[in-house]
């Protein structure tokens, strides 16, 4: 366990970094920064919270920037002795990656589309070939060239027109998720001078090849709130406003159905959805509401023939069901069941083909792909043979085909892309990701799923992986990861970078806490709003199980989570700090009440249905009882590495900054508390594939150093 011993001699203060397992180099003059306390009273519902670090939200204040830079300097100095380890980890992880790699080509509208990487380059090259893989390569975008003069660069929303002559795309150079849309002529490679700012980056062409629909964001809140219609070659200022989402708890987007027959505007909140449709051949027409929004009614639509297929929770279908309705009569009273709701099987998505319907289901936490023929002559599941895998359909843009493309990987198996003939049941593995370096053998690793028992008796699934042969005697370091919000499910997935932990004796575990949909929709409902604490207690109960079963001990247990998973980290170290030797909290959402009371901050209003609205006294009181920032107390905290993004659009940088300042002030022990802010990036961190590895190396070096592992 690493301790920070602070020695004072009158006016001289310096710190020595010590490690009980392996001595580290002493580092002089590295006293942690101390943020000024400027008390601000925050009052609502006759309750006053005193926030000493509220001033850190003044983004342009030079003193704030200076404080963040001093924190970064402190991080660099106190971890100086791990510099070689971080570099070795980075090079090791990089060696496992095939640098000159390319995606499996997919065919759409006469072209094969391929994404490839070049040796030593950070960004992808997007290409296509007409009609045949033997045809001449046409480069759509070389992002390495486009990103040359930018510290951050993200290209998204590539959208080719139906006549294959134009492509729209979005660019973000700040990491604020405010994309500028451009249009490129694929015959001349000219990018049109007209650009469209403050968008999601995504867009969709009408079938006339000249009308582009896109989503604009509110410049301050970043809520996707307006749909515009743009005529190619015109100025953005001339674009026609098609739809404004007035409800601040909703966001909106636009797309085209797989059949290419309809343009669709979607509006969604956590609990409710609504769609509007328009014939894609008549972009000058008016959108028609498919089914008016009703609070609590969620649905998604897919078009096939003269019907729409509706995936919905209508009629109390908690785990959703599939229904259909005529193009001419789309409101709910006309919907009829195709696949009824089931108590224990969640329908997550559907893929529609000319002859087949593919249903993505989740049963007891495991993803299943069900293949059904429209004429009812076949109905079967693809076989999968373990409990720690991830399977999903991917890149199936072609409607008239018998081939289904899906992805598969597990905690021990690298990701594969597989083509499956739904008629003959022939399976072709198109690609399995290569793990280079010459040392990886999947047979050297073991994965399993175990079940912890929560205090309320609920069984909590845990997926884990480790190197075969380790003794389960409590001496193993274990990294426990979870997310647990928004119904987002973290399936057991393969990671080549994770091998750097496994090969050094770590166990890696994903705890499928309530708040995800791992065990169905009710699993999510039981981990949100006034049941949010289940997420935290599930994680703690799982930690205690892992210790009691000899997988690890509190001296060797580590926890990690990001964003809403960072909220989880903040909650568990307030509730049970003694269980963990170290915690990594990446861009953590930790100042719950203050953020949720500020409707000028991105995402706030749209998330009332996830966390609750603290303007309501009941939700305010509940949030206050778990909000990590508000519940920091004088106690011993574990070693902590906290990361932030200065331009973060999801979790503002000041949340982790304030939290670290308060933790340092209250911490009674001598644990190490570090904050590192990426001053050039946002919520997702660095944009380049290799730059992102440096951030992983930073996290891993923190864990390994606490274990006394220096190589």
């Amino acid at each position: 366990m690493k301790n920070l011993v602070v020695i004072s001699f009158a006016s001289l203060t310096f710190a020595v970094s010590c490690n009980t397992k392996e001595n580290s180099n002493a580092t002089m003059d590295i006293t942690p920064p101390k943020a000024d306390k400027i008390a601000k009273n925050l009052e609502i519902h006759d309750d006053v919270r005193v926030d000493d670090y509220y001033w850190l939200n003044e983004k342009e204040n030079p003193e704030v920037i200076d404080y963040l830079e001093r924190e970064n300097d402190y991080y660099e100095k106190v971890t100086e002795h791990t510099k070689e380890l971080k570099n070795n980890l980075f090079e090791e992880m990089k060696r496992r990656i095939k640098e000159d790699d390319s995606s499996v080509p997919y065919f759409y509208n006469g072209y094969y589309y391929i994404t490839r990487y070049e040796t030593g380059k950070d960004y992808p090259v997007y290409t296509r070939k007409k009609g045949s893989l033997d045809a001449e390569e046409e480069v759509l975008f070389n992002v390495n060239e486009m990103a040359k003069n930018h510290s951050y660069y993200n290209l998204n929303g590539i959208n080719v027109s139906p006549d294959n002559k134009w492509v729209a795309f979005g660019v973000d150079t700040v990491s604020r998720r405010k994309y500028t849309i451009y249009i490129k002529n694929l015959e001349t490679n000219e990018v049109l001078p007209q650009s469209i700012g403050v968008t999601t980056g995504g867009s969709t062409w009408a079938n006339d090849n000249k009308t582009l629909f896109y989503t604009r964001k509110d410049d301050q809140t970043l809520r996707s709130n307006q749909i515009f219609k743009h005529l190619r070659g015109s100025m953005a200022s001339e674009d026609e406003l098609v739809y404004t989402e007035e409800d601040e708890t909703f966001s909106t987007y636009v797309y085209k159905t797989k059949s290419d027959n309809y343009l669709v505007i979607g509006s969604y909140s956590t609990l409710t959805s609504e769609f509007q449709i328009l014939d894609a051949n008549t972009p000058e027409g008016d959108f028609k509401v498919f089914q008016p929004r009703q609070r609590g009614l969620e649905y998604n639509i897919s078009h096939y023939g003269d019907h729409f297929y509706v995936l919905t929770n209508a009629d109390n279908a908690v785990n959703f069901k599939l229904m259909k309705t005529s193009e001419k009569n789309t409101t709910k009273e006309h919907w009829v069941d195709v696949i009824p709701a089931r108590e224990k099987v969640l329908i997550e998505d559907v893929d529609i083909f000319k002859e087949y319907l593919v249903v993505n289901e989740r049963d007891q936490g495991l993803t299943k792909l069900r293949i059904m023929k429209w004429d009812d002559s076949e109905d079967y599941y693809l076989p999968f043979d373990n409990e720690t895998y991830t399977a999903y359909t991917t890149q199936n843009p072609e409607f008239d085909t018998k081939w289904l493309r899906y992805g598969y990987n597990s905690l021990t198996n690298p990701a594969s892309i597989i083509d499956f003939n739904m008629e003959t049941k022939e399976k072709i593995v198109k690609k399995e990701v290569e793990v280079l370096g010459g040392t990886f053998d999947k047979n050297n690793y073991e994965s399993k799923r175990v079940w912890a028992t929560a205090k309320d008796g609920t069984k909590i699934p845990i997926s884990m992986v480790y190197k075969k042969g380790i003794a389960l005697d409590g001496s193993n370091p274990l990294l426990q990861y979870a997310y647990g919000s928004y119904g987002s499910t973290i399936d057991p997935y393969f990671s080549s970078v994770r091998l750097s932990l496994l090969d050094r004796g770590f166990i890696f575990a994903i705890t499928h806490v309530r708040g995800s949909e791992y065990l169905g929709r009710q699993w999510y409902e039981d981990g949100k709003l006034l049941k949010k604490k289940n997420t935290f207690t599930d994680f703690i109960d799982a930690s205690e199980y892992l210790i009691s079963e000899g997988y690890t001990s509190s001296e060797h247990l580590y926890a990690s989570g990001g964003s809403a998973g960072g909220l989880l980290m903040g909650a568990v170290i307030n509730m049970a700090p003694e269980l963990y030797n170290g915690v990594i909290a990446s861009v953590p959402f930790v100042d719950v009440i203050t953020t949720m009371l500020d409707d000028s901050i991105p995402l706030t209003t749209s998330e009332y249905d996830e966390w609750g609205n603290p303007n309501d006294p009941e939700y305010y009181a509940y949030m206050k009882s778990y909000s990590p920032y508000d519940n920091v107390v004088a106690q011993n905290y574990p070693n902590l590495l906290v990361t932030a993004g200065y331009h973060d659009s999801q979790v503002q940088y000041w949340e982790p900054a304030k939290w670290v300042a308060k933790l340092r002030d209250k911490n009674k022990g001598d644990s190490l508390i570090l904050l590192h802010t990426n001053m050039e990036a946002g919520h997702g961190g660095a944009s380049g594939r290799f730059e992102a590895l440096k951030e992983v190396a930073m996290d891993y070096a923190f864990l390994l150093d606490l274990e006394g592992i220096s190589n």
Side-chain angles (χ1 to χ4, degrees):
M1 180 175 179
K2 188 171 183 178
N3 302 293
L4 188 67
V5 182
V6 180
I7 308 170
S8 298
F9 297 97
S11 60
L12 175 65
T13 301
F14 65 97
V16 181
S17 177
C18 299
N19 193 299
T20 57
K21 296 182 181 177
E22 182 177 307
N23 290 333
S24 302
N25 295 328
T27 307
M28 308 298 286
D29 193 25
I30 50 173
T31 303
K34 190 170 183 179
D36 293 337
K37 286 186 176 181
I38 305 174
K40 181 177 179 64
N41 291 345
L42 303 171
E43 184 173 359
I44 188 174
H45 306 310
D46 297 322
D47 182 68
V48 179
R49 291 178 301 126
V50 180
D51 189 345
D52 290 328
Y53 305 106
Y54 188 87
W55 66 276
L56 285 172
N57 73 353
E58 299 170 12
K59 187 173 184 179
E60 305 303 326
N61 184 340
E63 293 184 13
V64 171
I65 296 172
D66 176 67
Y67 173 72
L68 295 176
E69 290 175 341
R70 283 189 290 121
E71 283 284 5
N72 284 353
D73 185 58
Y74 173 66
Y75 166 81
E76 294 296 338
K77 288 178 178 177
V78 84
T79 63
E80 174 67 24
H81 65 284
T82 69
K83 189 173 182 179
E84 183 178 357
L85 174 60
K86 281 187 279 192
N87 184 64
N88 290 342
L89 286 167
F90 169 73
E91 293 297 336
E92 178 181 300
M93 292 184 288
K94 185 179 176 182
R95 279 196 300 271
R96 296 194 193 104
I97 298 172
K98 185 179 181 183
E99 293 196 39
D100 57 340
D101 202 6
S102 62
S103 66
V104 177
Y106 70 89
F107 189 74
Y108 177 65
N109 195 25
Y111 283 82
Y112 284 96
Y113 287 87
I114 306 163
T115 302
R116 59 177 173 81
Y117 285 89
E118 298 175 345
T119 300
K121 301 293 181 66
D122 253 324
Y123 294 95
V125 180
Y126 296 100
T127 71
R128 69 178 184 177
K129 295 183 177 183
K130 187 174 183 179
S132 167
L133 289 173
D134 296 326
E136 183 180 354
E137 177 185 81
E138 177 184 347
V139 175
L140 303 178
F141 303 103
N142 185 336
V143 185
N144 298 289
E145 294 296 323
M146 300 166 75
K148 268 186 177 178
N149 298 318
H150 301 278
S151 58
Y152 178 91
Y153 197 92
N154 191 346
L155 182 148
N156 85 342
I158 296 174
N159 175 31
V160 179
S161 61
D163 64 4
N164 290 308
K165 295 180 180 180
W166 305 90
V167 60
F169 61 101
V171 173
D172 174 15
T173 58
V174 179
S175 189
R176 189 71 177 161
R177 301 191 183 184
K178 291 162 67 171
Y179 290 84
T180 299
I181 290 176
Y182 301 91
I183 296 174
K184 181 178 181 179
N185 185 324
L186 291 175
E187 295 181 325
T188 66
N189 282 324
E190 172 196 10
V191 176
L192 300 186
Q194 300 84 8
S195 63
I196 308 167
V198 197
T199 77
T200 62
S203 62
T204 189
W205 292 97
N207 289 345
D208 65 356
N209 300 296
K210 64 180 181 180
T211 307
L212 188 74
F213 290 83
Y214 65 90
T215 310
R216 183 165 283 170
K217 291 186 170 186
D218 181 279
D219 196 35
Q220 181 178 11
T221 68
L222 301 187
R223 180 171 70 94
S224 306
N225 66 330
Q226 292 182 321
I227 305 297
F228 279 84
K229 180 167 61 176
H230 174 80
L231 292 180
R232 190 186 68 240
S234 64
M235 300 297 294
S237 58
E238 301 171 0
D239 291 354
E240 178 185 343
L241 175 62
V242 174
Y243 174 69
T244 298
E245 179 51 69
E246 301 288 357
D247 190 327
E248 293 184 350
T249 67
F250 279 73
S251 296
T252 188
Y253 60 102
V254 62
Y255 69 98
K256 189 158 57 174
T257 59
K258 184 175 175 178
S259 66
D260 289 329
N261 287 14
Y262 286 93
L263 298 162
V264 182
I265 294 174
S267 294
Y268 66 95
S269 70
T270 304
L271 295 175
T272 309
S273 51
E274 179 184 74
F275 293 90
Q276 303 172 55
I277 58 174
L278 173 65
D279 187 328
N281 294 309
T282 59
E284 69 283 355
D286 296 324
F287 282 82
K288 181 190 78 171
V289 174
F290 188 92
Q291 158 61 37
R293 67 188 65 178
Q294 297 176 4
R295 181 168 174 78
L297 175 63
E298 298 177 64
Y299 69 97
N300 275 305
I301 59 175
S302 301
H303 181 251
Y304 171 65
D306 56 2
H307 284 81
F308 280 95
Y309 284 77
V310 185
L311 183 60
T312 179
N313 67 346
D315 309 319
N316 298 313
V318 175
N319 277 329
F320 288 73
K321 62 180 177 177
L322 186 65
M323 308 182 78
K324 74 174 182 178
T325 190
S326 165
E327 289 176 315
K328 297 178 181 178
N329 297 297
T330 62
T331 51
K332 184 176 167 230
E333 64 268 21
H334 300 288
W335 300 357
V336 297
D337 282 3
V338 176
I339 302 177
R342 286 159 289 175
E343 183 180 353
K344 295 184 178 180
V345 179
L346 172 69
I347 302 179
E348 293 188 314
D349 200 4
V350 297
D351 279 272
I352 287 180
F353 299 86
K354 183 178 180 180
E355 295 183 36
Y356 293 89
L357 170 67
V358 179
V359 185
N360 291 249
E361 300 179 349
R362 187 176 294 275
D363 185 4
Q364 287 298 298
L366 305 181
T367 299
K368 296 184 176 181
L369 300 181
R370 182 182 182 185
I371 297 174
M372 309 168 66
K373 204 163 185 180
W374 289 114
D375 64 9
D376 295 327
S377 61
E378 286 187 294
D379 186 346
Y380 61 93
Y381 288 88
L382 286 179
F384 300 115
D385 57 2
N386 65 61
E387 291 187 326
T388 59
Y389 70 87
T390 299
Y392 54 93
T393 61
T394 180
Q395 289 181 328
N396 289 287
E398 282 290 297
F399 180 69
D400 187 5
T401 179
K402 293 180 173 62
W403 289 93
L404 169 71
R405 176 162 292 177
Y406 70 95
Y408 174 86
N409 68 90
S410 73
L411 288 172
T412 57
N413 286 75
S416 297
I417 298 296
I418 300 165
D419 280 356
F420 179 79
N421 190 303
M422 294 179 280
E423 183 176 67
T424 66
K425 299 182 176 58
E426 178 187 4
K427 184 171 77 170
I428 302 174
V429 178
K430 302 296 289 187
K431 178 179 182 178
E432 180 174 290
V433 172
E434 294 182 63
V435 180
L436 303 183
T439 61
F440 173 70
D441 181 348
K442 60 187 175 185
N443 296 310
N444 292 335
Y445 303 88
E446 181 175 344
S447 65
K448 64 169 68 171
R449 184 171 65 163
V450 298
W451 299 77
T453 302
K455 295 290 193 301
D456 64 3
T458 302
K459 296 292 186 181
I460 310 300
I462 307 169
S463 301
M464 64 171 64
V465 61
Y466 48 84
K467 203 160 187 180
K468 287 181 179 177
I470 64 173
L472 301 180
D473 58 3
S475 65
N476 303 295
L478 187 151
L479 177 59
Q480 182 186 0
Y481 173 82
Y483 184 72
S485 292
Y486 305 105
S488 178
T489 300
I490 308 299
D491 281 308
Y493 62 98
F494 182 84
S495 167
S496 67
V497 299
R498 190 190 299 137
L499 296 173
S500 293
L501 290 182
L502 301 183
D503 290 347
R504 289 173 172 84
F506 266 76
I507 297 172
F508 178 76
I510 302 171
T511 301
H512 305 288
V513 292
R514 280 174 279 190
S516 75
E517 289 186 343
Y518 185 78
L519 292 179
R521 178 66 177 208
Q522 193 60 47
W523 200 246
Y524 170 42
E525 299 293 340
D526 288 342
K528 62 187 284 197
L529 296 173
L530 298 175
K531 296 181 179 180
K532 187 64 211 171
K533 289 183 186 177
N534 284 335
T535 303
F536 317 140
T537 56
D538 282 357
F539 192 88
I540 292 169
D541 291 339
S543 298
E544 292 176 343
Y545 169 85
L546 293 168
I547 292 170
S548 69
E549 293 298 309
Y551 290 104
T552 190
S553 63
S554 58
E555 291 79 20
H556 300 288
L557 178 57
Y558 302 91
S560 175
S563 194
L567 162 65
L568 170 60
M569 296 299 101
V572 300
I573 65 171
N574 283 334
M575 298 166 69
E578 72 283 355
L579 291 178
Y580 310 96
N581 187 33
V583 172
I584 298 173
S586 307
V587 293
F589 172 42
V590 286
D591 192 10
V592 181
I593 299 176
T594 305
T595 291
M596 293 304 295
L597 282 171
D598 187 350
D599 59 12
S600 71
I601 294 176
L603 303 182
T604 293
T605 56
S606 65
E607 300 204 354
Y608 288 154
D609 289 333
E610 178 70 26
W611 311 103
N613 184 345
N615 291 294
D616 180 324
E618 181 181 23
Y619 285 106
Y620 174 85
Y622 190 76
M623 284 182 187
K624 188 178 179 183
S625 71
Y626 72 74
S627 172
Y629 183 66
D630 292 289
N631 286 278
V632 173
V633 296
Q635 63 179 346
N636 292 333
Y637 281 96
N639 298 288
L640 194 64
L641 172 61
V642 182
T643 62
Y646 183 64
H647 297 291
D648 199 328
S649 61
Q650 314 300 104
V651 176
Q652 310 304 309
Y653 73 88
W654 59 77
E655 292 198 43
K658 289 165 52 177
W659 184 46
V660 164
K662 191 172 183 179
L663 282 166
R664 284 225 195 93
D665 183 60
K666 295 290 187 181
N667 187 24
K668 294 180 67 176
D670 55 8
S671 57
L672 194 61
I673 299 176
L674 300 173
L675 171 67
H676 185 273
T677 303
N678 188 327
M679 301 300 290
E680 297 178 338
H683 200 62
S687 56
R689 60 173 173 160
F690 299 131
E691 286 302 309
L693 288 181
K694 292 179 181 178
E695 297 179 344
V696 179
M698 183 174 77
D699 291 348
Y700 284 9
F702 173 75
L703 299 174
L704 294 169
D705 187 50
L706 291 173
E707 281 293 307
I709 300 172
S710 59
N711 54 48

